[in-house]
Amino acid sequence: MDDRVRRHAGILTDYCTDVSADDDVLIRAPTPAADLVEALYERIGDRGARPTTEWRHPRATRAYGRAIDPDDVRTADHRLAAMAETDVVILIKGAENDAAGSDVDPETRAALRRAKRPVLDERLETRWVITQYPTAADAQRADLPTRAWEEFVYDAVDRDWDAQRAFQERLVDVLEPAETVRIVSGDDTDLRLSVDGMGAFNDAGEDNMPGGEVATVPVVDSADGTITFDLPVVRGGREIRGARLTFEDGEVVDHAAERNEAALTALLDTDDGARRLGELGIGMNRDIDRFTNNLLFDEKMGDTVHVALGDAMAECVPDDRELNESAVHADLLVDTSEDSRIEVDGEVVQENGTFAFE
């Protein structure tokens, strides 16, 4: 087995989730990630914990989505009960075919997202992490040879996370006392948000591996303006390109997309919370130095900003403030490397991808 896979497994069990002998661990993985699952079982066994694996099967998921009537979709109680008994969840990404479920009806897809929400809520109570296993399909999407993609993934994962956390803490110190944030990019993006009273989250790889962003939550009714997204996002096998959202009083009042606008509409129509923002994230990982069409990496780049439609990051919202809730959390990304700036309380903190404190 490639030693990089074993090191990846060690980072997931030791740094990200701190697996102990008392833990029931769920690993959700695509079949191409079998080597990483094997390495995780070795690490989990060394610690005396109890693992189980849920294999992702896109063909079966597609078949189910095409067969079931949306009115028959409901929460899988056995999955909910199992998640309630789970201590650690390790979610592994790795595509065989990004478009495997693209012909599932959007109404059915939205119903399935809503039905999974209670399971997601239980998962968020565990110690969880999302990571990437390098596959040929993802390499192709990144426009890289498979071996180059493997090197890119492992270099992004296996690094000094304590140093990254210290660098990001400088932006946390800016955002924690902040009241307003404005994002300007080119002629198509000018979005104003209130973050008054919200916390700032330093993502140094505990929940996402790789990590590399600082995030906060907009006040639920504060977003005003228009934002246009530079990179595509894949939802349910459909690639949405050139998405544009216009907000008034925190809610999307107009939207468009150059490609798959219907998929964007279906996303917004999932529930009431899907039309509001649940996150503002600012990328800070300088070791991720190219776009890969993979949001787990692209949103961490140091010259990007992303906002997420839907469910809010609860760790940033005080108990006495409104928490946006939704069955979706969909990150959408803006390239801020050129003709762009981020203002915090009227002061420019990043211009053309460079932070004022760099």
Side-chain angles (χ1 to χ4, degrees):
M1 183 186 296
D2 190 330
D3 189 55
R4 296 175 300 178
V5 177
R6 285 197 166 93
R7 290 202 302 274
H8 190 179
I11 291 167
L12 295 172
T13 57
D14 301 352
Y15 175 74
C16 300
T17 59
D18 191 22
V19 173
S20 71
D22 293 330
D23 288 332
D24 291 313
V25 183
L26 170 65
I27 300 167
R28 187 168 188 262
T31 53
D35 279 356
L36 181 54
V37 174
E38 180 183 348
L40 284 167
Y41 268 57
E42 289 177 350
R43 303 290 300 196
I44 293 166
D46 284 343
R47 291 183 167 227
R50 297 164 298 278
T52 188
T53 301
E54 178 184 315
W55 294 103
R56 287 174 45 206
H57 197 306
R59 284 171 51 197
T61 302
R62 170 186 177 270
Y64 181 77
R66 285 174 58 83
I68 194 166
D69 188 298
D71 292 336
D72 293 332
V73 173
R74 62 188 187 280
T75 301
D77 290 337
H78 61 300
R79 290 189 65 191
L80 181 59
M83 190 63 76
E85 296 298 323
T86 299
D87 302 298
V88 173
V89 179
I90 298 173
L91 303 171
I92 303 171
K93 292 161 53 74
E96 295 176 84
N97 178 358
D98 269 342
S102 60
D103 56 356
V104 175
D105 181 73
E107 184 180 352
T108 302
R109 192 177 306 284
L112 290 167
R113 282 195 295 262
R114 290 190 293 269
K116 290 177 183 175
R117 175 59 197 258
V119 182
L120 172 61
D121 287 343
E122 283 292 345
R123 194 258 287 173
L124 292 175
E125 296 298 318
T126 71
R127 304 195 307 281
W128 58 273
V129 63
I130 300 173
T131 195
Q132 179 78 42
Y133 184 82
T135 66
D138 288 319
Q140 190 172 31
R141 184 166 52 149
D143 197 24
L144 285 172
T146 301
R147 296 298 177 228
W149 173 239
E150 289 175 357
E151 292 176 7
F152 179 88
V153 170
Y154 292 125
D155 286 348
V157 165
D158 194 1
R159 59 190 308 277
D160 187 343
W161 289 108
D162 289 336
Q164 183 68 34
R165 181 184 293 104
F167 172 57
Q168 293 175 181
E169 195 64 29
R170 301 176 73 179
L171 184 57
V172 171
D173 291 342
V174 172
L175 287 178
E176 287 244 311
E179 295 183 3
T180 62
V181 176
R182 182 184 181 194
I183 303 162
V184 180
S185 184
D187 297 325
D188 301 320
T189 292
D190 190 346
L191 184 68
R192 297 163 300 283
L193 310 163
S194 170
V195 295
D196 189 20
M198 298 299 184
F201 175 67
N202 189 339
D203 171 19
E206 288 92 341
D207 292 340
N208 289 298
M209 179 52 65
E213 67 172 285
V214 171
T216 187
V217 173
V219 174
V220 70
D221 60 354
S222 70
D224 273 295
T226 297
I227 183 166
T228 300
F229 302 100
D230 298 295
L231 288 186
V233 60
V234 178
R235 301 294 298 183
R238 292 187 171 104
E239 185 183 71
I240 303 169
R241 282 188 176 270
R244 186 182 73 252
L245 303 175
T246 298
F247 290 85
E248 290 181 7
D249 298 325
E251 187 173 8
V252 176
V253 294
D254 189 31
H255 68 278
E258 295 172 4
R259 179 179 181 185
N260 275 329
E261 184 174 319
L264 178 61
T265 302
L267 174 67
L268 293 167
D269 288 344
T270 299
D271 50 38
D272 290 341
R275 287 183 173 267
R276 297 184 181 274
L277 294 179
E279 179 189 351
L280 166 66
I282 300 173
M284 299 190 69
N285 191 334
R286 294 296 185 199
D287 286 343
I288 298 174
D289 58 1
R290 60 173 292 156
F291 289 112
T292 63
N293 287 313
N294 185 316
L295 200 63
L296 183 63
F297 296 86
D298 294 344
E299 69 175 5
K300 311 304 191 312
M301 285 183 63
D303 47 6
T304 62
V305 171
H306 60 277
V307 297
L309 291 166
D311 210 41
M313 299 174 59
E315 56 265 56
C316 294
V317 183
D319 291 340
D320 61 345
R321 303 294 292 275
E322 184 178 358
L323 178 73
N324 193 52
E325 294 184 300
S326 174
V328 302
H329 182 92
D331 293 297
L332 300 158
L333 189 142
V334 180
D335 178 0
T336 56
S337 62
E338 295 181 357
D339 194 21
S340 302
R341 68 184 186 274
I342 303 171
E343 299 176 6
V344 175
D345 294 338
E347 298 290 330
V348 176
V349 299
Q350 187 199 73
E351 188 165 13
N352 298 334
T354 301
F355 292 102
F357 52 75
E358 286 188 281

